[in-house]
Amino acid sequence: MSDRHFAHWPAHAPRHLWVPETNLYRNVEVSAMRFPGKPLAIFYDTPITYGQFQRETEHLAGYLQQRCGVRKGDRVLLYMQNSPQFMLAYYAILRADAVVVPVNPMNLTGELRHYVSDAGARVAFCSQELLSRMQPLLAEGLAHIVVATYSDYLQVDTDLNVPDFIRAPRVPLGEAGLVAWADALAEALPPGPLTAGPDDLAVMPYTSGTTGHPKGCMHTHRTTMFNTVAGGVWGQANQGSVSLAVLPMFHVTGMQANLNGTIYGGSTVVLLPRWDRDAAATCVQRYRITGFGLITAMMVDFLSNPRLGEYDLSSLRRIGGGGAAMPRALALEAERRFGLKYAEGYGMSETMAATHANPPERPKEQCLGIPIFDVDARVVNPDTLQELPPGETGEIIVHGPQVMLGYWNQPEATAESFVEIDGKRFLRTGDLAQTDDEGYFFFVDRLKRMINAAGFKVWPAEVEAILYQHPAVQEACVIAAQDARRGETVKAVIVLKPGQAGQVSEQQIVEWAHANMAAYKSPRIVEFAQSLPRSGTGKVMWRELQQRENAAP
C-alpha cells in the first residue's frame, strides 16, 4: 500500500474513523431526540421535522410487521423517486429489522420481475405514478404493495414549479394486496423491538455486470454506516449544513450524501424529484443551501441559465459529484461563477459510495481523488496483482470498511470479485487507473464492458439479454457511442433473423427497446449488420465493434 497521498490528507480529518456500531435506525432516534422540531427534509416548501420522521417511520414499520408479516432479514423493495416517502420508507424498513432493496424508478415490469424473484421480496413500497409497472407482480411473488402519493406531503403553498406527477391527487386502490400509504400510516401500529445489529443486512442495492442479470450487493448496517459518517467528516458537514438532493436516492451516492448522511449529522435536505435549474437556484437562495452534487448534464444546464445571476448563491460551500469526470472547461466555469472547485470522487454500489475523494482544500481536475479513511486502494497488474508504480495503468482494487459482504445468492460471482493480498480481502473494481507521484488516482479505462451514460452505469450484457426477446433479433452486441450531452450513449449492433430484413426498421427496434427497459439503458442508436465479428472460439468480438465506433468520424 502506498502512503504518498497522506502528504495531502485534509488537515481537519483523522486518518482513522470511528463510527457507531449500531443499527442505522439509531441515527433517527438520536437526531429526533436532539432536534425534534428541526426540518429534516423540505419538499416544495413543506418541512418534515425529525420528530415527525421518527413517528411516521415507527408507524410504517409497525404496519410492515403486523399487517404484511415482515420479519427480520426480509427484503423489501423501495421503488419511487426522491421524496419524503422514499426517505420514510427506507427507514421504516430498517426499523422493521428488514433489508432495503432500492430500485431505479426508471425500471419497467420485466426488470422489476428479476428484483422480486431474486431478492425473494414479498412486500414493496411503490409510488403512485409507478404502480402500473409493479402491480402485475402481485400475482408473481409480491403479496403487499404500500402505495405512496407524493401530494400527501404538499402541505403548504409554494411558488416553485411542482411537476404534475407530484401534484397528482390520490387515486382509489381496488385490488387486494394494495394499500394506500396514508391508510397504512393512519393505523399507527407500534413496531416490535429493534433487534438487527451492525452485522445484519441493511441495504441491498442491485448492480449489473457482465452476466446480464443485476446482482444484489449485500451491505450490513456496519458497511453502510461507515460512509454515512465518512462523507460528512471529509466534507466538514455540520448541523447547519443544508444539501440539495437532485441525485437519485435509490443510487448509493445520493442515498449516502442526502439521506443517511443528513440524518446522522442532524442537518437538512431540500428535495427535488426532477431536475429543474430554476427551482434548484431558488432553493439555494431560499434555504441557504451549502452544498450539492450535480452530474455533468445538470451542471451544463445550471450554468447556462440566463437568469442565474438573479439568484443569491453565496451560501454554497461545496459542489461536486461522481459517476463521470466533469469536463475541465465546465469545472473552470463553475469555479469562476461560484469561487468553488468542483471536487470529484469514486465509488461503487459494491462499496456503498465513496472509497476515494479529492481533498476539499486540494482537489485535482478530472481526478478520482485519494483513498479515504481506512481504505487500502491499489493499482495492480490485472494478471499478476502486483502493485504498479505511478504512471502505469492497472486495475483498481480496494479494501475498506465500506466494502460489501458479497453478491446475494451469487457465490461464484462473489469469489471472482475478490482477491486476498497481504492477508486483506480486496474488491476487484474492473476499472483501470493510474496514480501520480502524490498518490492521486486517475481513471483511464474499463477492464469490464460498461457504458457510462450521464453517470448511469449500463452493462451491455443486460441490454443484450432484453434485446434477444424481440422476435426479429437473432444477435445483438451493445457498445458505447459518443454523445454530446450524456458523454456516452447506448448503441446496439443487430443481426436480424432470416426473412426479417425490410420487415422491421432500426427505429422500430429503438422504440421497442424504450418500451421494454429503463430509458437510461435503452439503445438510442440501432445499426443493422449482416453478421457480428467472432473470435476463433465463436465469441462475439465486441471490442472490434467498439474500436470501429471510436474511429468513426
Side-chain angles (χ1 to χ4, degrees):
M1 172 185 175
S2 167
D3 61 359
R4 300 189 306 275
H5 62 288
F6 286 134
H8 309 291
W9 193 258
H12 69 274
R15 297 280 182 88
H16 168 66
L17 194 65
W18 293 94
V19 302
E21 297 186 42
T22 63
N23 187 304
L24 284 163
Y25 191 82
R26 296 297 185 196
N27 296 339
V28 173
E29 295 175 340
V30 170
S31 289
M33 178 176 61
R34 289 174 169 172
F35 317 115
K38 181 180 181 179
L40 159 57
I42 299 172
F43 186 58
Y44 293 103
D45 293 330
T46 295
I48 295 88
T49 67
Y50 275 93
Q52 176 187 352
F53 190 85
Q54 182 179 11
R55 288 192 303 273
E56 295 193 4
T57 52
E58 289 185 342
H59 292 160
L60 289 168
Y63 187 89
L64 291 177
Q65 292 175 329
Q66 297 188 44
R67 296 287 186 261
C68 303
V70 170
R71 298 292 178 261
K72 183 177 179 179
D74 285 355
R75 281 74 56 205
V76 179
L77 266 59
L78 176 48
Y79 182 54
M80 59 181 75
Q81 302 187 56
N82 285 7
S83 58
Q85 290 100 318
F86 184 102
M87 301 174 71
L88 287 158
Y90 186 105
Y91 274 89
I93 295 168
L94 296 180
R95 180 62 184 83
D97 284 331
V99 182
V100 181
V101 180
V103 181
N104 187 335
M106 298 173 76
N107 282 345
L108 306 183
T109 303
E111 295 157 314
L112 292 172
R113 185 172 287 113
H114 172 73
Y115 292 96
V116 171
S117 62
D118 188 72
R122 297 185 65 256
V123 180
F125 284 96
C126 177
S127 51
Q128 182 173 273
E129 88 284 8
L130 302 175
L131 181 59
S132 62
R133 302 177 186 176
M134 181 169 275
Q135 193 166 347
L137 302 180
L138 277 172
E140 301 181 31
L142 282 182
H144 303 275
I145 302 177
V146 181
V147 183
T149 303
Y150 300 126
S151 60
D152 286 350
Y153 287 79
L154 296 178
Q155 298 297 319
V156 301
D157 291 334
T158 181
D159 59 353
L160 295 171
N161 178 33
V162 181
D164 290 342
F165 76 95
I166 298 292
R167 288 190 181 277
R170 200 182 312 155
V171 298
L173 302 172
E175 186 176 348
L178 301 180
V179 63
W181 175 285
D183 293 339
L185 201 56
E187 291 203 40
L189 297 171
L194 187 64
T195 62
D199 294 313
D200 288 308
L201 290 185
V203 188
M204 200 162 77
Y206 270 72
T207 183
S208 297
T210 57
T211 61
H213 287 295
K215 303 185 293 293
C217 301
M218 295 188 292
H219 281 285
T220 64
H221 291 269
R222 188 186 301 276
T223 64
T224 309
M225 183 73 80
F226 191 82
N227 274 349
T228 292
V229 178
V233 176
W234 191 270
Q236 295 180 278
N238 55 49
Q239 295 165 13
S241 299
V242 183
S243 62
L244 178 67
V246 293
L247 298 180
M249 288 184 179
F250 77 84
H251 188 269
V252 294
T253 302
M255 182 192 302
Q256 291 287 56
N258 297 316
L259 174 57
N260 293 332
T262 294
I263 289 171
Y264 176 80
S267 54
T268 299
V269 62
V270 180
L271 300 172
L272 280 185
R274 289 283 172 85
W275 171 248
D276 179 324
R277 65 187 186 184
D278 282 301
T282 298
C283 287
V284 171
Q285 175 175 286
R286 182 169 297 170
Y287 296 107
R288 305 301 294 163
I289 285 170
T290 56
F292 56 50
L294 300 181
I295 61 172
T296 301
M298 293 176 182
M299 184 64 83
V300 168
D301 191 47
F302 194 68
L303 292 175
S304 63
N305 186 351
R307 297 184 54 210
L308 192 61
E310 300 174 17
Y311 299 99
D312 179 4
L313 308 179
S314 61
S315 60
L316 287 173
R317 296 289 178 267
R318 178 189 55 79
I319 56 173
M326 179 63 64
R328 184 173 186 272
L330 199 58
L332 291 175
E333 174 63 12
E335 184 176 359
R336 186 185 70 81
R337 290 287 191 102
F338 309 131
L340 301 171
K341 289 186 178 293
Y342 184 91
E344 301 179 38
Y346 171 77
M348 311 168 70
S349 297
E350 287 87 343
T351 62
M352 192 49 76
T355 57
H356 295 64
N358 271 275
E361 304 89 350
R362 200 173 182 271
K364 294 189 179 185
E365 295 169 0
Q366 297 185 308
C367 174
L368 305 179
I370 63 176
I372 64 170
F373 316 96
D374 302 303
V375 170
D376 182 351
R378 308 179 185 185
V379 172
V380 301
N381 182 306
D383 299 319
T384 67
L385 300 179
Q386 293 298 307
E387 189 167 8
L388 298 174
E392 291 195 22
T393 298
E395 182 181 2
I396 301 173
I397 60 172
V398 293
H399 166 85
Q402 66 276 72
V403 176
M404 67 173 182
L405 300 188
Y407 295 114
W408 174 257
N409 288 337
Q410 296 271 353
E412 291 184 4
T414 298
E416 291 172 0
S417 298
F418 286 92
V419 294
E420 185 170 316
I421 302 174
D422 300 335
K424 296 179 179 179
R425 183 173 180 255
F426 283 84
L427 174 71
R428 299 192 66 162
T429 68
D431 287 328
L432 298 176
Q434 296 179 354
T435 59
D436 65 10
D437 291 335
E438 296 181 322
Y440 285 70
F441 283 62
F442 293 82
F443 179 80
V444 174
D445 201 351
R446 304 177 191 104
L447 191 60
K448 298 183 288 188
R449 291 176 70 192
M450 193 269 283
I451 299 166
N452 194 332
F456 286 106
K457 289 184 177 180
V458 179
W459 296 95
E462 182 184 359
V463 179
E464 289 164 0
I466 298 173
L467 287 173
Y468 276 110
Q469 298 173 20
H470 191 287
V473 174
Q474 178 168 300
E475 292 185 291
C477 183
V478 170
I479 58 175
Q482 295 304 304
D483 183 274
R485 287 187 61 83
R486 304 175 88 207
E488 292 180 336
T489 195
V490 183
K491 177 177 179 176
V493 182
I494 287 174
V495 177
L496 296 174
K497 291 179 179 177
Q500 291 296 320
Q503 302 300 309
V504 62
S505 69
E506 293 160 335
Q507 182 58 32
Q508 286 173 322
I509 298 287
V510 169
E511 293 169 359
W512 180 92
H514 190 72
N516 284 274
M517 66 184 87
Y520 74 91
K521 70 177 79 160
S522 177
R524 301 200 174 188
I525 306 168
V526 167
E527 177 185 310
F528 290 154
Q530 293 297 315
S531 62
L532 299 179
R534 293 184 178 275
S535 68
T537 59
K539 292 184 179 179
V540 174
M541 299 171 66
W542 66 270
R543 286 189 184 277
E544 182 175 320
L545 291 174
Q546 187 65 68
Q547 288 166 0
R548 289 183 199 170
E549 179 67 26
N550 294 344

